[in-house]
Amino acid sequence: QKVVKGFMSLGRCAPDMWDFVGFDPSLKGKDVLGQLVMQPAKFASWATDVYHPFTESKDLCKGVVCGTDAVCFKGQCRCGTGFYPVAGDAQNCGLLMTRGGCVCQTHWSSRDNVFSFTRTFVGCANWGMCKVDQNHPTYSSCKARLPTKGVFITKARSKDRCRPQALHSVRQKVPV
């Protein structure tokens, strides 16, 4: 008998919830999506303090201050594309240092010699190579340490080895 009563009460879950969040049957099909989907989702967000962009227009980045080269995304400070965490600093991001002491470009392209495809990369590619930023102040002192190419006339390469790291690393917010 308890099993039957419990089974029969399953059908009351949705109507009870709709009563709780404010379902209005008098609207007769107007705003059904809003009442059946959006209102319960908004209530769940309110009750759990978890907000989702599709249920709430709350700006999670409002009032958030991020460090250098970090951007706010869904309430978290993250390193911008092509920037990496600065060692010993919990808030700021910067360009990644290469093995030769140069810095990686935030975005760069490489042409495949076999098929003539151009591939675009962000920062340090996953195989540990990046194109150095020749406009950065470090270039004048690091270019002598870059690998060279050529037999008779040597020219510093535009790429150097780097240690691949995760993109968009989470950083601490700057206290206001």
Side-chain angles (χ1 to χ4, degrees), residues 25-71:
S26 67
L27 290 177
K28 297 182 179 162
K30 299 174 190 159
D31 195 33
V32 171
L33 179 65
Q35 290 193 63
L36 295 180
V37 177
M38 299 305 286
Q39 274 184 238
K42 286 181 180 181
F43 170 76
S45 292
W46 171 82
T48 62
D49 201 29
V50 174
Y51 285 87
H52 305 281
F54 66 88
T55 63
E56 194 65 38
S57 61
K58 181 178 179 180
D59 184 4
L60 299 176
C61 289
K62 186 176 182 176
V64 174
V65 178
C66 297
T68 306
D69 296 320
V71 294

Side-chain angles (χ1 to χ4, degrees), residues 3-158:
V3 173
V4 172
K5 184 179 177 188
F7 184 74
M8 296 305 286
S9 68
L10 285 177
R12 292 287 320 144
C13 185
D16 286 345
M17 189 61 188
W18 291 332
D19 286 341
F20 189 68
V21 297
F23 182 74
D24 186 0
S26 67
L27 290 177
K28 297 182 179 162
K30 299 174 190 159
D31 195 33
V32 171
L33 179 65
Q35 290 193 63
L36 295 180
V37 177
M38 299 305 286
Q39 274 184 238
K42 286 181 180 181
F43 170 76
S45 292
W46 171 82
T48 62
D49 201 29
V50 174
Y51 285 87
H52 305 281
F54 66 88
T55 63
E56 194 65 38
S57 61
K58 181 178 179 180
D59 184 4
L60 299 176
C61 289
K62 186 176 182 176
V64 174
V65 178
C66 297
T68 306
D69 296 320
V71 294
C72 183
F73 179 72
K74 295 184 180 179
Q76 287 185 322
C77 290
R78 294 181 173 269
C79 288
T81 304
F83 294 94
Y84 299 88
V86 173
D89 188 332
Q91 298 168 338
N92 296 315
C93 303
L95 296 170
L96 189 63
M97 193 69 74
T98 67
R99 184 182 289 175
C102 296
V103 293
C104 294
Q105 290 183 2
T106 57
H107 298 83
W108 55 281
S109 297
S110 179
R111 187 176 199 98
D112 185 326
N113 292 334
V114 178
F115 299 107
S116 295
F117 293 123
T118 300
R119 299 184 303 174
T120 302
F121 303 94
V122 175
C124 184
N126 60 358
W127 67 86
M129 188 69 75
C130 74
K131 192 168 188 178
V132 299
D133 187 345
Q134 295 178 351
N135 297 318
H136 194 270
T138 58
Y139 185 70
S140 60
S141 61
C142 73
K143 66 181 174 183
R145 292 187 295 272
L146 291 176
T148 57
K149 64 180 178 180
V151 178
F152 298 109
I153 299 173
T154 58
K155 179 181 174 188
R157 291 189 185 266
S158 60

